Every structure is written in C-alpha cells, then in structure tokens.
Amino acid sequence: MDGVINVVKPKDWTSFDVIARLRKIYHQKKIGHGGTLDPMAEGVLPVFLGRAARLIEYAPIHTKTYEARFQMGLATDTEDMTGTVVEEGPIPEDLSVFERAAEKFRGPIMQVPSSYSALKVNGERAYKLAREGKKVELPARPVTIYELEITEIAPPFLSMTVTCSAGTYIRALGRDLGKEAGCLLTMCALTRTEMGPFSLKDARTLEEIEKDPEGAVISDLHPVLSALPALELSEKEGADFLQGKRLRFHGEDRKAAAAFCGTRFLGIASISKNIIHPKKVFS
C-alpha cells in the first residue's frame, strides 16, 4: 500500500517503535516518517507508506507547533525529566520575568542544541557520546521561532506554545529562556500539535489504525504536497505521464511539481522550456 498517515505517537514510544508497529499492520517494510519525536514526547508523526516514502523530501513539514511544560528551579543533564538532576535553584517571585525573557526568543535566533540530541559529532550521535560521559560541544545554529506564547505559569510549572522551524529543540529553548529569566527550566512534557498540514485533531492513534488500516491512509495528496506547484492533467495527459512521456506545457520552469489527475496523484515532475519531464511516476 502507498500513502500517507497522520499518526499520534504515544508517549514513551520511540518514532522507530511506531514504524515497527505500522510495518506489522500494513505488512510492508518500506515505511518512513517525517520528523522524529523524543520518546517522552507525543503527538503528530506523519508516516509515508511504500512509494510515498519518496515524497518526504517534498512535504511541507518544516514548520511545527508544540505545547510544552517545564518545571521551574531544576536542571538535568538531558534538559528534560528523563535525565539526572545537576542543579537546583530558586523560583522568582516576580513571574513577569518569563514574559520579558520570551520577547528575546521570538523571530530568528541562534540555538545550541541539547548535548543529548540525535545530531552527529564526528560520525557519532551526540546522545551516545554524552551517555558515555564524553564532552559534547555542538555549534549554535540558526532557527526561527514564529510564535512563542506562555500559556500558564503555576509554580513550579510553566507552560508554553511554540511554532518554530525545523531543527528547533524545545528543550533547549526552555533552557535558554530560563537562563534569560534567571530561573532554571527543565522540560517535563511535550506534545507536537501541528506539523505543516498535519494536525493532532485529525491524527489517528495506532489502535484506530489497526482497526481500519485502509481508512487511515490519506487519499488526497494535494495538502501533503501543497509546497509544490500542482499540475492538473487530463486523463490522456495523465496516461502519457504514467508512461514516462514528456508533455508540452506553457508555464514557468520548475525543479519539482506535483502532477494530479483530479484527486489521483500521478507523480513528481520537473518543467523545463515548456516541457513536463516525469521524475517520479506513481503508476
């Protein structure tokens, strides 16, 4: 089966655990996901089945929204509650310091990822080196915080909603916001509520998917490929496209476009000098 599923990753499951479960449900090996979530996190995990795994690079899943909860006055080596406490500190009496600090983290920022991340250092995962007691130094990198709203402050907990670019570590954002506010913060809960066109309200649990595997697969890929220009082809053009034939087209050159015949997805094409060139055909 080929297609895309909007899955709810359960808390305490790895993203690989979810893929392994889906392989058993759909009886196929070729499955990929659109963005790893830490085991302690839950929420939206777009999964691409069969030939649709070739579409991950084109999916508009680079903007993500999270709901996060942090414990005040505490720091761990992993920057979340799965780690070992390394420092404790006071909770400020003036809680407005958090909102003032948040103002400095809206927009483009430079962020140093957590040492306990899946990023590679000299070919090794950072978290593996950190667990071995080795010093891990990761360079700061640019990320964008499109929206940051502190939704609740109820000591010793602080909650926030964050919409950000790919590559943003919410643990690290809490760490840095806490430093700016003068209060240690450690993440204790994280839910990804949106990832591009995928929303938690439309996602299926693994139990729901197991009961109705075919019904869980998204049939119309227009939203999934909304970042690409759409080519609407006739039945005749669609048949020719599926045979790998080049088609005449009057329009701008494109490195990639999504070809459809109605709601049926045909594949990925490039456009050059008014000619459509099939690149990835889904016959």
Side-chain angles (χ1 to χ4, degrees), residues 48-227:
F48 297 72
L49 302 175
R51 291 179 299 170
R54 298 158 63 196
L55 303 177
I56 295 176
E57 63 178 298
Y58 303 109
I61 52 179
H62 306 296
T63 300
K64 309 171 186 183
T65 298
Y66 297 90
E67 292 178 355
R69 194 180 193 206
F70 296 85
Q71 183 164 339
M72 303 177 186
L74 199 68
T76 70
D77 53 1
T78 61
E79 298 168 1
D80 61 29
M81 295 305 289
T82 67
T84 301
V85 175
V86 294
E87 188 179 355
E88 295 186 48
I91 296 174
E93 293 183 8
D94 178 13
L95 298 179
S96 66
V97 295
F98 291 107
E99 181 53 47
R100 291 197 294 274
E103 292 177 3
K104 298 189 177 183
F105 292 91
R106 296 185 178 108
I109 64 171
M110 295 297 292
Q111 184 184 74
V112 177
S114 170
S115 297
Y116 284 79
S117 69
L119 296 175
K120 287 190 175 181
V121 179
N122 297 325
E124 294 278 359
R125 298 290 184 186
Y127 65 77
K128 182 177 183 294
L129 297 173
R131 286 172 184 165
E132 292 172 353
K134 298 177 182 177
K135 188 176 181 180
V136 177
E137 292 185 359
L138 295 170
R141 57 185 190 170
V143 297
T144 302
I145 309 299
Y146 301 108
E147 294 180 19
L148 194 169
E149 179 185 0
I150 295 177
T151 54
E152 183 181 33
I153 302 178
F157 298 107
L158 177 148
S159 298
M160 66 174 73
T161 298
V162 180
T163 299
C164 56
S165 64
T168 304
Y169 283 81
I170 305 301
R171 285 177 288 160
L173 180 63
R175 172 202 69 202
D176 295 342
L177 190 148
K179 286 181 180 179
E180 184 68 29
C183 176
L184 299 171
L185 289 180
T186 293
M187 192 174 74
C188 53
L190 182 67
T191 301
R192 185 158 65 197
T193 58
E194 292 183 5
M195 190 172 180
F198 301 96
S199 173
L200 186 58
K201 69 181 188 325
D202 301 320
R204 305 284 187 100
T205 65
L206 289 168
E207 291 73 21
E208 291 172 332
I209 293 169
E210 194 157 27
K211 289 179 182 177
D212 183 15
E214 289 190 15
V217 178
I218 298 171
S219 57
D220 185 359
L221 295 184
H222 277 88
V224 177
L225 296 170
S226 59

